[in-house]
Amino acid sequence: MDLSKKIREIQDFPKEGINFKDITTLLQDKEAFTYMVDTLAAQLKDLNVDIVVGPESRGFIVGVPVAYKIGAGFVPVRKPGKLPAEIVRYEYELEYGKDALEIHRDAIQPGQKVAIIDDLLATGGTVLATAKLIEELGGEVVSINFLIELAFLKGREKLSNYNVKTLITYHD
Ligand SMILES: O=P(O)(O)OC[C@H]1O[C@H](OP(=O)(O)OP(=O)(O)O)[C@H](O)[C@@H]1O
Ligand SMILES: Nc1ncnc2[nH]cnc12
């Protein structure tokens, strides 16, 4: 199935110059949604993944059904101030200013095998921060899987130490 046909492109959202990849049109299509989850799950077979980590919020939508399908647990990585128990925070630079992500300190045990799943790889900042959080807790990032890659933003270069797979690549 060609999943790229199910993704809607919205020009100049949320800002002028951005061509936004809207995955809601894929998610609402039952065959496409099933195919996406099954394909991502198949990429993880044989890796003995204990935990799928998904960054807020589209990483929850894509990561949770894959975790269920492969029989792994799910751990959310959230934007600051959302998680109620003791957290670890990772701050990272944006083009202008800083951003941060948080994970519960007890969410991952040392030595657990972890896959990160998100909808889209742009600059790679979100998922690199997510990988750093997992590693700070002693987890091993065995795979990073995306539905979409915006190759022209070169996020893969930031993730060169990891096993990265994507289902749909946009070159411009
Ligand atoms: O590779 P990067 O440059 O880090 O960008 C990719 C991230 O940006 C989007 O999330 P966003 O922060 O817009 O949050 P949302 O999922 O809540 O919409 C997307 O879902 C990825 O997580
Ligand atoms: N072009 C884009 N479309 C959808 N989500 C994004 N996150 C970062 N860039 C994006």
Side-chain angles (χ1 to χ4, degrees), residues 20 55-59 79 92 99 118-127 146 153 155 158:
F20 191 86
E56 182 173 355
S57 62
R58 283 174 265 157
K79 292 170 183 169
Y92 56 105
D99 216 338
D118 203 357
D119 69 322
L120 182 141
L121 172 60
T123 66
T126 302
V127 156
F146 298 93
L153 295 177
K158 222 177 250 173

PDB file of all heavy atoms in Angstrom, residues 20 55-59 79 92 99 118-127 146 153 155 158, ligand 1:
ATOM      1  N   PHE A  20       3.051  21.330   5.805  1.00  0.00           N
ATOM      2  CA  PHE A  20       2.716  20.452   6.932  1.00  0.00           C
ATOM      3  C   PHE A  20       2.185  19.122   6.428  1.00  0.00           C
ATOM      4  O   PHE A  20       1.283  19.070   5.597  1.00  0.00           O
ATOM      5  CB  PHE A  20       1.675  21.129   7.824  1.00  0.00           C
ATOM      6  CG  PHE A  20       1.473  20.420   9.143  1.00  0.00           C
ATOM      7  CD1 PHE A  20       2.289  20.701  10.231  1.00  0.00           C
ATOM      8  CD2 PHE A  20       0.463  19.473   9.295  1.00  0.00           C
ATOM      9  CE1 PHE A  20       2.109  20.042  11.438  1.00  0.00           C
ATOM     10  CE2 PHE A  20       0.282  18.810  10.500  1.00  0.00           C
ATOM     11  CZ  PHE A  20       1.103  19.099  11.580  1.00  0.00           C
ATOM     12  N   PRO A  55       7.362  10.241  21.808  1.00  0.00           N
ATOM     13  CA  PRO A  55       7.333  11.638  22.232  1.00  0.00           C
ATOM     14  C   PRO A  55       5.960  12.277  21.987  1.00  0.00           C
ATOM     15  O   PRO A  55       5.333  12.030  20.953  1.00  0.00           O
ATOM     16  CB  PRO A  55       8.402  12.335  21.388  1.00  0.00           C
ATOM     17  CG  PRO A  55       8.939  11.320  20.435  1.00  0.00           C
ATOM     18  CD  PRO A  55       8.145  10.055  20.563  1.00  0.00           C
ATOM     19  N   GLU A  56       5.547  13.113  22.929  1.00  0.00           N
ATOM     20  CA  GLU A  56       4.268  13.826  22.827  1.00  0.00           C
ATOM     21  C   GLU A  56       4.200  14.647  21.545  1.00  0.00           C
ATOM     22  O   GLU A  56       5.211  15.281  21.209  1.00  0.00           O
ATOM     23  CB  GLU A  56       4.139  14.751  24.045  1.00  0.00           C
ATOM     24  CG  GLU A  56       2.840  15.519  24.100  1.00  0.00           C
ATOM     25  CD  GLU A  56       2.686  16.299  25.410  1.00  0.00           C
ATOM     26  OE1 GLU A  56       3.532  16.172  26.311  1.00  0.00           O
ATOM     27  OE2 GLU A  56       1.693  17.035  25.501  1.00  0.00           O
ATOM     28  N   SER A  57       3.077  14.725  20.900  1.00  0.00           N
ATOM     29  CA  SER A  57       1.866  13.960  21.102  1.00  0.00           C
ATOM     30  C   SER A  57       1.606  12.956  19.974  1.00  0.00           C
ATOM     31  O   SER A  57       0.967  11.934  20.174  1.00  0.00           O
ATOM     32  CB  SER A  57       0.668  14.903  21.217  1.00  0.00           C
ATOM     33  OG  SER A  57       0.518  15.644  20.001  1.00  0.00           O
ATOM     34  N   ARG A  58       2.145  13.271  18.781  1.00  0.00           N
ATOM     35  CA  ARG A  58       1.879  12.332  17.683  1.00  0.00           C
ATOM     36  C   ARG A  58       2.648  11.028  17.867  1.00  0.00           C
ATOM     37  O   ARG A  58       2.251   9.996  17.336  1.00  0.00           O
ATOM     38  CB  ARG A  58       2.185  13.001  16.343  1.00  0.00           C
ATOM     39  CG  ARG A  58       1.083  13.968  15.938  1.00  0.00           C
ATOM     40  CD  ARG A  58       1.455  14.728  14.696  1.00  0.00           C
ATOM     41  NE  ARG A  58       2.049  16.015  14.993  1.00  0.00           N
ATOM     42  CZ  ARG A  58       2.852  16.691  14.173  1.00  0.00           C
ATOM     43  NH1 ARG A  58       3.174  16.179  13.003  1.00  0.00           N
ATOM     44  NH2 ARG A  58       3.324  17.873  14.519  1.00  0.00           N
ATOM     45  N   GLY A  59       3.703  11.057  18.650  1.00  0.00           N
ATOM     46  CA  GLY A  59       4.424   9.824  18.981  1.00  0.00           C
ATOM     47  C   GLY A  59       3.577   8.886  19.838  1.00  0.00           C
ATOM     48  O   GLY A  59       3.811   7.677  19.852  1.00  0.00           O
ATOM     49  N   LYS A  79       6.246  16.995  27.059  1.00  0.00           N
ATOM     50  CA  LYS A  79       6.675  18.382  27.150  1.00  0.00           C
ATOM     51  C   LYS A  79       6.673  18.777  28.636  1.00  0.00           C
ATOM     52  O   LYS A  79       5.988  18.123  29.441  1.00  0.00           O
ATOM     53  CB  LYS A  79       5.775  19.233  26.257  1.00  0.00           C
ATOM     54  CG  LYS A  79       6.050  18.853  24.776  1.00  0.00           C
ATOM     55  CD  LYS A  79       5.123  19.397  23.715  1.00  0.00           C
ATOM     56  CE  LYS A  79       5.568  18.817  22.363  1.00  0.00           C
ATOM     57  NZ  LYS A  79       4.650  19.023  21.248  1.00  0.00           N
ATOM     58  N   TYR A  92      17.354  21.066  25.001  1.00  0.00           N
ATOM     59  CA  TYR A  92      18.092  21.109  23.736  1.00  0.00           C
ATOM     60  C   TYR A  92      17.828  22.425  23.021  1.00  0.00           C
ATOM     61  O   TYR A  92      16.814  23.085  23.246  1.00  0.00           O
ATOM     62  CB  TYR A  92      17.751  19.898  22.866  1.00  0.00           C
ATOM     63  CG  TYR A  92      16.290  19.695  22.550  1.00  0.00           C
ATOM     64  CD1 TYR A  92      15.780  19.989  21.282  1.00  0.00           C
ATOM     65  CD2 TYR A  92      15.413  19.195  23.501  1.00  0.00           C
ATOM     66  CE1 TYR A  92      14.445  19.786  20.987  1.00  0.00           C
ATOM     67  CE2 TYR A  92      14.066  18.998  23.213  1.00  0.00           C
ATOM     68  CZ  TYR A  92      13.599  19.294  21.954  1.00  0.00           C
ATOM     69  OH  TYR A  92      12.265  19.105  21.665  1.00  0.00           O
ATOM     70  N   ASP A  99      14.301  24.154  24.106  1.00  0.00           N
ATOM     71  CA  ASP A  99      13.116  23.365  24.397  1.00  0.00           C
ATOM     72  C   ASP A  99      13.535  22.256  25.352  1.00  0.00           C
ATOM     73  O   ASP A  99      14.727  22.059  25.584  1.00  0.00           O
ATOM     74  CB  ASP A  99      12.550  22.781  23.103  1.00  0.00           C
ATOM     75  CG  ASP A  99      11.035  22.744  23.131  1.00  0.00           C
ATOM     76  OD1 ASP A  99      10.468  22.758  24.252  1.00  0.00           O
ATOM     77  OD2 ASP A  99      10.431  22.695  22.060  1.00  0.00           O
ATOM     78  N   ASP A 118       7.993   7.703  16.372  1.00  0.00           N
ATOM     79  CA  ASP A 118       7.346   9.013  16.206  1.00  0.00           C
ATOM     80  C   ASP A 118       6.774   9.080  14.799  1.00  0.00           C
ATOM     81  O   ASP A 118       7.113   8.270  13.939  1.00  0.00           O
ATOM     82  CB  ASP A 118       8.356  10.140  16.457  1.00  0.00           C
ATOM     83  CG  ASP A 118       7.694  11.456  16.844  1.00  0.00           C
ATOM     84  OD1 ASP A 118       6.441  11.534  16.879  1.00  0.00           O
ATOM     85  OD2 ASP A 118       8.428  12.424  17.110  1.00  0.00           O
ATOM     86  N   ASP A 119       5.903  10.066  14.573  1.00  0.00           N
ATOM     87  CA  ASP A 119       5.284  10.154  13.242  1.00  0.00           C
ATOM     88  C   ASP A 119       6.255  10.690  12.209  1.00  0.00           C
ATOM     89  O   ASP A 119       6.237  10.255  11.063  1.00  0.00           O
ATOM     90  CB  ASP A 119       3.995  11.001  13.272  1.00  0.00           C
ATOM     91  CG  ASP A 119       4.259  12.461  13.529  1.00  0.00           C
ATOM     92  OD1 ASP A 119       5.154  12.784  14.339  1.00  0.00           O
ATOM     93  OD2 ASP A 119       3.579  13.305  12.914  1.00  0.00           O
ATOM     94  N   LEU A 120       7.139  11.629  12.616  1.00  0.00           N
ATOM     95  CA  LEU A 120       7.865  12.380  11.584  1.00  0.00           C
ATOM     96  C   LEU A 120       9.260  12.791  12.057  1.00  0.00           C
ATOM     97  O   LEU A 120       9.427  13.283  13.176  1.00  0.00           O
ATOM     98  CB  LEU A 120       7.020  13.616  11.249  1.00  0.00           C
ATOM     99  CG  LEU A 120       7.508  14.548  10.163  1.00  0.00           C
ATOM    100  CD1 LEU A 120       6.335  15.042   9.315  1.00  0.00           C
ATOM    101  CD2 LEU A 120       8.250  15.728  10.761  1.00  0.00           C
ATOM    102  N   LEU A 121      10.245  12.575  11.192  1.00  0.00           N
ATOM    103  CA  LEU A 121      11.620  13.036  11.417  1.00  0.00           C
ATOM    104  C   LEU A 121      11.826  14.319  10.613  1.00  0.00           C
ATOM    105  O   LEU A 121      11.786  14.296   9.374  1.00  0.00           O
ATOM    106  CB  LEU A 121      12.609  11.962  10.961  1.00  0.00           C
ATOM    107  CG  LEU A 121      14.090  12.332  10.932  1.00  0.00           C
ATOM    108  CD1 LEU A 121      14.605  12.736  12.303  1.00  0.00           C
ATOM    109  CD2 LEU A 121      14.919  11.164  10.377  1.00  0.00           C
ATOM    110  N   ALA A 122      12.042  15.425  11.344  1.00  0.00           N
ATOM    111  CA  ALA A 122      12.360  16.698  10.676  1.00  0.00           C
ATOM    112  C   ALA A 122      13.840  16.992  10.972  1.00  0.00           C
ATOM    113  O   ALA A 122      14.713  16.392  10.352  1.00  0.00           O
ATOM    114  CB  ALA A 122      11.407  17.792  11.135  1.00  0.00           C
ATOM    115  N   THR A 123      14.135  17.859  11.949  1.00  0.00           N
ATOM    116  CA  THR A 123      15.551  18.133  12.264  1.00  0.00           C
ATOM    117  C   THR A 123      16.169  17.042  13.130  1.00  0.00           C
ATOM    118  O   THR A 123      17.398  16.993  13.293  1.00  0.00           O
ATOM    119  CB  THR A 123      15.693  19.458  13.041  1.00  0.00           C
ATOM    120  OG1 THR A 123      15.070  19.287  14.325  1.00  0.00           O
ATOM    121  CG2 THR A 123      15.042  20.619  12.300  1.00  0.00           C
ATOM    122  N   GLY A 124      15.337  16.215  13.731  1.00  0.00           N
ATOM    123  CA  GLY A 124      15.838  15.134  14.586  1.00  0.00           C
ATOM    124  C   GLY A 124      16.003  15.523  16.049  1.00  0.00           C
ATOM    125  O   GLY A 124      16.326  14.682  16.885  1.00  0.00           O
ATOM    126  N   GLY A 125      15.757  16.794  16.378  1.00  0.00           N
ATOM    127  CA  GLY A 125      15.965  17.269  17.758  1.00  0.00           C
ATOM    128  C   GLY A 125      15.097  16.547  18.783  1.00  0.00           C
ATOM    129  O   GLY A 125      15.563  16.188  19.871  1.00  0.00           O
ATOM    130  N   THR A 126      13.835  16.315  18.429  1.00  0.00           N
ATOM    131  CA  THR A 126      12.895  15.685  19.373  1.00  0.00           C
ATOM    132  C   THR A 126      13.348  14.269  19.718  1.00  0.00           C
ATOM    133  O   THR A 126      13.393  13.875  20.893  1.00  0.00           O
ATOM    134  CB  THR A 126      11.491  15.627  18.735  1.00  0.00           C
ATOM    135  OG1 THR A 126      11.093  16.946  18.394  1.00  0.00           O
ATOM    136  CG2 THR A 126      10.482  14.991  19.671  1.00  0.00           C
ATOM    137  N   VAL A 127      13.700  13.523  18.698  1.00  0.00           N
ATOM    138  CA  VAL A 127      14.023  12.119  18.938  1.00  0.00           C
ATOM    139  C   VAL A 127      15.432  11.963  19.520  1.00  0.00           C
ATOM    140  O   VAL A 127      15.667  11.054  20.335  1.00  0.00           O
ATOM    141  CB  VAL A 127      13.775  11.305  17.652  1.00  0.00           C
ATOM    142  CG1 VAL A 127      14.596  10.039  17.623  1.00  0.00           C
ATOM    143  CG2 VAL A 127      12.288  10.968  17.583  1.00  0.00           C
ATOM    144  N   PHE A 146      10.098   5.836  12.203  1.00  0.00           N
ATOM    145  CA  PHE A 146       9.189   6.939  11.881  1.00  0.00           C
ATOM    146  C   PHE A 146       8.275   6.524  10.734  1.00  0.00           C
ATOM    147  O   PHE A 146       8.677   5.745   9.857  1.00  0.00           O
ATOM    148  CB  PHE A 146       9.971   8.156  11.370  1.00  0.00           C
ATOM    149  CG  PHE A 146      10.942   8.755  12.343  1.00  0.00           C
ATOM    150  CD1 PHE A 146      12.260   8.356  12.356  1.00  0.00           C
ATOM    151  CD2 PHE A 146      10.540   9.751  13.227  1.00  0.00           C
ATOM    152  CE1 PHE A 146      13.177   8.924  13.231  1.00  0.00           C
ATOM    153  CE2 PHE A 146      11.444  10.331  14.103  1.00  0.00           C
ATOM    154  CZ  PHE A 146      12.765   9.912  14.105  1.00  0.00           C
ATOM    155  N   LEU A 153      15.862  17.985   5.631  1.00  0.00           N
ATOM    156  CA  LEU A 153      16.229  18.613   6.910  1.00  0.00           C
ATOM    157  C   LEU A 153      17.367  17.858   7.613  1.00  0.00           C
ATOM    158  O   LEU A 153      17.853  18.286   8.657  1.00  0.00           O
ATOM    159  CB  LEU A 153      15.000  18.737   7.817  1.00  0.00           C
ATOM    160  CG  LEU A 153      13.919  19.672   7.269  1.00  0.00           C
ATOM    161  CD1 LEU A 153      12.700  19.675   8.184  1.00  0.00           C
ATOM    162  CD2 LEU A 153      14.446  21.100   7.110  1.00  0.00           C
ATOM    163  N   GLY A 155      17.791  15.240   9.408  1.00  0.00           N
ATOM    164  CA  GLY A 155      17.695  14.744  10.781  1.00  0.00           C
ATOM    165  C   GLY A 155      18.461  13.453  10.997  1.00  0.00           C
ATOM    166  O   GLY A 155      18.957  13.188  12.091  1.00  0.00           O
ATOM    167  N   LYS A 158      21.864  13.716  12.595  1.00  0.00           N
ATOM    168  CA  LYS A 158      21.876  13.849  14.051  1.00  0.00           C
ATOM    169  C   LYS A 158      21.710  12.486  14.732  1.00  0.00           C
ATOM    170  O   LYS A 158      22.099  12.303  15.874  1.00  0.00           O
ATOM    171  CB  LYS A 158      20.709  14.758  14.440  1.00  0.00           C
ATOM    172  CG  LYS A 158      21.037  15.756  15.501  1.00  0.00           C
ATOM    173  CD  LYS A 158      19.855  16.653  15.773  1.00  0.00           C
ATOM    174  CE  LYS A 158      20.140  18.050  15.276  1.00  0.00           C
ATOM    175  NZ  LYS A 158      18.992  18.926  15.347  1.00  0.00           N
TER     176      LYS A 158
HETATM  177  O1  LIG B   1      12.609  16.279  14.108  1.00  0.00           O
HETATM  178  P1  LIG B   1      12.106  17.530  14.799  1.00  0.00           P
HETATM  179  O2  LIG B   1      12.586  18.785  14.157  1.00  0.00           O
HETATM  180  O3  LIG B   1      12.337  17.488  16.277  1.00  0.00           O
HETATM  181  O4  LIG B   1      10.526  17.585  14.556  1.00  0.00           O
HETATM  182  C1  LIG B   1       9.683  16.461  14.582  1.00  0.00           C
HETATM  183  C2  LIG B   1       8.711  16.533  15.728  1.00  0.00           C
HETATM  184  O5  LIG B   1       7.812  17.646  15.521  1.00  0.00           O
HETATM  185  C3  LIG B   1       6.471  17.179  15.605  1.00  0.00           C
HETATM  186  O6  LIG B   1       5.984  17.274  16.908  1.00  0.00           O
HETATM  187  P2  LIG B   1       5.530  18.636  17.582  1.00  0.00           P
HETATM  188  O7  LIG B   1       6.639  19.126  18.466  1.00  0.00           O
HETATM  189  O8  LIG B   1       5.012  19.562  16.522  1.00  0.00           O
HETATM  190  O9  LIG B   1       4.384  18.191  18.584  1.00  0.00           O
HETATM  191  P3  LIG B   1       2.968  17.427  18.375  1.00  0.00           P
HETATM  192  O10 LIG B   1       3.290  15.988  18.077  1.00  0.00           O
HETATM  193  O11 LIG B   1       2.342  17.595  19.715  1.00  0.00           O
HETATM  194  O12 LIG B   1       2.214  18.099  17.250  1.00  0.00           O
HETATM  195  C4  LIG B   1       6.561  15.731  15.198  1.00  0.00           C
HETATM  196  O13 LIG B   1       5.454  14.973  15.680  1.00  0.00           O
HETATM  197  C5  LIG B   1       7.866  15.272  15.767  1.00  0.00           C
HETATM  198  O14 LIG B   1       7.766  14.839  17.124  1.00  0.00           O
END
